[in-house]
């Protein structure tokens, strides 16, 4: 049988450029087209104006003494200044450290010290977080942190004013010394245990990944993209921002953090052609009471990614949101992030039941997790990927790097996948999420897809919980369309009977109002298990 290995096309060629060089080409080609829109304030930046604003911030950082290779942190929700810092740090060769907006003091302190952040750009306050107070709290314990600049604050204005005293020739001189393989970004991955690890990414990593994602979406300078996911994650800053600027397209900020109504307002007001989100975001948008009142007719494409994409949700996005060319993307922070993507001309089955096929210039393989041997197509194993997108390594953590990337350059994803005969990939779960019930392997995604067809269920996550007899049992955590109606384990078992194998039928049902999420919208199954175990210590469901 054919092995589970696939290599992407070699055309078009990889971009052998820095991010600043690539942006310069877009500015020269499309100076008067929109580059950035802040929907909440109504502010628009053409490419020419955006380039000027990026240069102001870059010169300000140079004036602050930021050298090539220095780490510059950005701790803020989605805002125009975030994007300016992203491109300004790239132009001066600083390594931008993206800090999760949800971090508290101990997490902030860890990241600032682990990355050795020299200058931090921060919001003053967002939602319930007083960022300034948290920075003041940790700053004495962060000896390498010399400067803090706050957005919409006199410190921001001073940064710009200091930079205005420098000659743009200094910036040109700095840029001329940069190379595509230079590290340009550290993104901290949210590990299930211990402290997060800093995936270190280069110009080549993230610029090419954004470019090829945009190529497969058919982006041109006419596209306008509502980037809903947070910029601190690859979904926002790579698949969103870099996919846009590498094609002369427009980035649209709907709101500082996810707001389903704001996202749809931005689509309608700005005549967006593309909308991004994780499945929970699309579900929230579709469930708005006034959903039908938004004019979404300008949409043609977008990306649903970040976690498992339920088939029924995908069908509604295509049918009710006019996103006939919407893509599913699969990847991880350590691979910049996308390794596989569905294509615009894929049939409905491929665009709802798979995560697509390998991107250009990349390789994927499905292997036996224990031996590393490539398995035949149609057989489940661990998905691994290799190519330009694989990170340089975890920042200052060679042991973790060696554990993640093997000697031949293959990145271990930790995801269980099946490669079809046509090269398309089905993700069947996480190795760590797989439930072993009485010796039977149970993959949560299969059950989740089925339970999405239940008329009372709006969303569902399946987890394994301890069981004295079987080792683990299956629990379905459900969000109902009408919570007051409830849903018992017996009722759900009756729905599943004769349609799922007996060992896959949930023994426990937990009705919840929402799922614990990361800032990027991924469901935190570890937290769900902890909550479920605590509840199960009482009377059984």
């Amino acid at each position: 049988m054919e092995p589970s290995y696939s290599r992407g096309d070699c055309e078009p060629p990889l971009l052998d450029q820095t991010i600043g060089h690539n942006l310069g080409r877009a500015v020269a080609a499309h100076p008067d087209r929109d580059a950035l829109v802040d929907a909440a304030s109504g502010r628009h930046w053409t490419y020419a104006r955006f380039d000027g604003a990026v240069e102001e911030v870059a010169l300000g950082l140079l004036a602050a003494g930021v050298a090539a290779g220095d780490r510059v942190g950005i701790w803020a929700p989605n805002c125009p200044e975030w994007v300016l810092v992203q491109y300004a740090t790239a132009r001066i060769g600083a390594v931008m450290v993206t800090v999760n907006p949800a971090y508290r003091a101990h997490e902030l302190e860890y990241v600032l010290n682990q990355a050795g952040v020299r200058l931090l750009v921060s919001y003053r306050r967002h939602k319930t977080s007083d960022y300034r107070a948290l920075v003041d709290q940790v700053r004495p314990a962060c000896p390498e942190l010399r400067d803090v600049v706050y957005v919409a604050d006199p410190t921001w204005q001073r940064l710009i004013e200091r930079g205005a005293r420098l000659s743009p020739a200094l910036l040109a001189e700095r840029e001329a010394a940069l190379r595509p393989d230079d590290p340009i970004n550290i993104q901290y991955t949210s590990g299930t245990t211990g402290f997060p690890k800093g995936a270190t990414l280069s110009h080549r990593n993230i610029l090419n990944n954004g470019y090829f994602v945009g190529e497969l979406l058919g982006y041109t300078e006419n596209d306008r993209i509502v980037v809903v996911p947070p910029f601190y994650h690859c979904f926002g800053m790579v698949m969103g921002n870099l996919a846009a600027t590498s094609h002369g397209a427009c980035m649209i900020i709907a709101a500082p953090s996810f707001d389903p109504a704001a996202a749809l307002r931005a689509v309608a007001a700005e005549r967006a052609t593309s909308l991004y989100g994780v499945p929970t975001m699309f579900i929230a948008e579709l469930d708005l009471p006034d959903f039908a009142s938004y004019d979404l007719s300008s949409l043609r494409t977008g990306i649903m990614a970040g976690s498992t994409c339920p088939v029924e949700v995908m069908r509604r996005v295509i049918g009710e949101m006019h996103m006939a060319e919407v893509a599913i993307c699969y990847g991880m922070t350590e691979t910049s992030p996308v390794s596989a993507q569905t294509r615009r001309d894929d049939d409905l089955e491929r665009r709802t039941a798979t995560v697509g096929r390998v991107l250009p210039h990349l390789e994927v393989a499905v292997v036996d997790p224990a031996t590393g041997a490539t398995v035949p197509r149609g057989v489940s194993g661990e998905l691994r990927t290799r190519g330009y997108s694989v990170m340089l390594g975890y920042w200052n953590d060679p042991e973790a790097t060696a554990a993640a990337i093997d000697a031949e350059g293959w990145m271990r994803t930790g995801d269980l996948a099946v490669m079809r005969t046509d090269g398309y990939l089905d993700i069947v779960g996480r190795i760590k999420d797989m439930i072993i019930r009485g010796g039977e392997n149970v993959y949560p995604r299969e059950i989740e897809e089925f339970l999405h067809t239940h008329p009372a269920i709006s969303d569902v996550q399946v987890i394994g919980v301890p069981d004295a007899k079987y080792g683990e049992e299956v629990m379905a955590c459900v969000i109902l369309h009408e919570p007051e109606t409830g849903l018992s384990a017996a009722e759900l078992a009756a729905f599943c009977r004769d349609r799922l194998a007996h060992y896959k039928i949930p023994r426990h049902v937990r009705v919840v109002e929402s799922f614990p999420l990361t800032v990027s919208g991924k469901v935190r199954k570890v937290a769900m298990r902890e909550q479920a175990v605590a509840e199960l210590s009482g009377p059984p469901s």
Side-chain angles (χ1 to χ4, degrees), residues 51 79 120 144 185 206 224 226 243 261 278 320 513 516 518:
D51 185 52
C79 62
L120 176 68
E144 293 187 60
N185 181 213
I206 60 178
R224 301 173 67 80
V226 175
V278 298
E320 299 175 36
E513 294 182 359
T518 67

Side-chain angles (χ1 to χ4, degrees), residues 103-419:
Y103 275 177
R104 309 307 295 170
H106 76 284
E107 296 158 318
L108 174 65
E109 179 183 329
Y110 172 80
V111 165
L112 293 178
N113 282 328
Q114 205 277 333
V117 170
R118 183 228 183 276
L119 182 148
L120 176 68
V121 178
S122 174
Y123 241 43
R124 292 177 295 184
R125 174 183 290 276
H126 179 59
K127 295 185 176 179
T128 60
S129 295
D130 185 339
Y131 286 8
R132 189 189 290 269
L134 290 169
V135 170
D136 288 344
Q137 180 181 338
V138 305
R139 194 167 183 180
C142 300
E144 293 187 60
L145 181 62
R146 302 178 201 171
D147 297 292
V148 181
V149 176
Y150 293 97
V151 173
D153 180 83
T155 55
W156 177 268
Q157 190 57 39
R158 284 198 294 273
L159 181 81
I160 302 301
E161 290 171 353
R162 289 177 65 186
R165 302 189 190 110
L166 298 184
S167 167
L170 293 174
L171 177 57
E173 181 181 347
R174 174 70 66 84
E175 284 193 274
L178 305 181
R179 297 293 178 265
D181 289 322
D182 291 341
I184 202 64
N185 181 213
I186 298 174
Q187 299 207 20
Y188 281 86
T189 60
S190 51
T192 55
T193 59
F195 283 104
K197 299 184 291 290
T200 307
L201 305 168
S202 67
H203 294 271
R204 186 185 304 279
N205 287 148
I206 60 178
L207 174 59
N208 277 287
N209 205 252
Y211 172 69
F212 282 106
V213 166
E215 284 289 286
L216 295 181
L217 292 171
Y219 280 165
T220 71
E221 68 273 16
N222 297 313
D223 280 292
R224 301 173 67 80
I225 309 160
V226 175
V227 186
V228 174
F231 290 147
Y232 92 89
H233 188 267
C234 274
F235 198 170
M237 67 164 284
V238 177
M239 299 154 70
N241 297 347
L242 288 171
T245 58
S246 61
H247 290 86
C250 177
M251 306 165 278
I252 301 171
I253 302 171
S257 55
F258 176 61
D259 177 331
L264 298 190
R265 283 197 302 269
V267 169
E270 296 296 333
R271 305 304 294 158
T273 61
S274 181
L275 174 64
Y276 288 7
V278 298
T280 52
M281 293 174 177
F282 282 102
I283 290 168
E285 291 157 1
L286 288 163
D287 284 350
L288 286 171
D290 61 345
F291 169 78
S293 69
Y294 295 95
D295 181 3
L296 308 180
S297 59
S298 60
L299 287 173
R300 71 165 180 86
T301 190
I303 296 174
M304 192 190 298
S307 59
T308 302
C309 305
V311 171
E312 291 304 312
V313 175
M314 188 63 152
R315 291 182 188 277
R316 290 193 65 195
V317 168
I318 293 171
E320 299 175 36
M321 299 181 79
H322 307 283
M323 295 170 62
E325 298 178 12
V326 65
I328 289 179
C329 289
Y330 163 83
M332 59 193 301
T333 302
E334 291 88 338
T335 56
S336 303
V338 180
S339 299
Q341 182 174 337
T342 55
R343 291 353 189 217
R344 289 187 294 157
D345 58 353
D346 280 344
D347 59 29
L348 183 62
E349 193 276 335
R350 285 193 180 95
R351 286 193 290 115
T352 54
T354 79
V355 294
R357 51 192 170 92
V358 65
L359 259 64
H361 300 281
L362 296 179
E363 299 171 85
V364 293
V366 179
V367 307
D368 183 316
T371 67
T374 303
V375 301
R377 296 197 180 194
V379 176
S380 173
E382 183 187 20
L383 181 61
R384 297 185 180 179
T385 187
R386 180 168 68 176
Y388 76 82
S389 68
V390 175
M391 65 176 179
L392 301 178
Y394 292 118
W395 186 262
N396 283 343
D397 197 340
E399 290 185 8
T401 301
I405 305 171
D406 72 15
E408 296 180 339
W410 287 99
M411 179 76 207
R412 301 176 174 97
T413 69
D415 284 320
L416 291 167
V418 174
M419 183 179 290

Side-chain angles (χ1 to χ4, degrees), residues 19-28 30-38 43-59 79-91 96 156 160 171 175 207 227 231 236-237 240-253:
I19 290 169
H21 180 192
N22 185 260
L23 176 63
R25 295 183 65 174
V27 172
H30 313 289
D32 299 323
R33 298 193 72 89
D34 277 347
L36 177 64
V37 173
D38 182 38
R43 292 180 292 168
H44 288 62
W45 286 259
T46 63
Y47 265 91
R49 183 186 172 202
F50 179 70
D51 185 52
V54 168
E55 181 170 295
E56 287 181 341
V57 177
L59 287 169
C79 62
E81 291 81 4
W82 206 109
V83 186
L84 297 178
V85 170
Q86 176 183 351
Y87 287 86
T89 51
R91 289 190 63 182
M96 182 177 68
W156 177 268
I160 302 301
L171 177 57
E175 284 193 274
L207 174 59
V227 186
F231 290 147
M237 67 164 284
N241 297 347
L242 288 171
T245 58
S246 61
H247 290 86
C250 177
M251 306 165 278
I252 301 171
I253 302 171

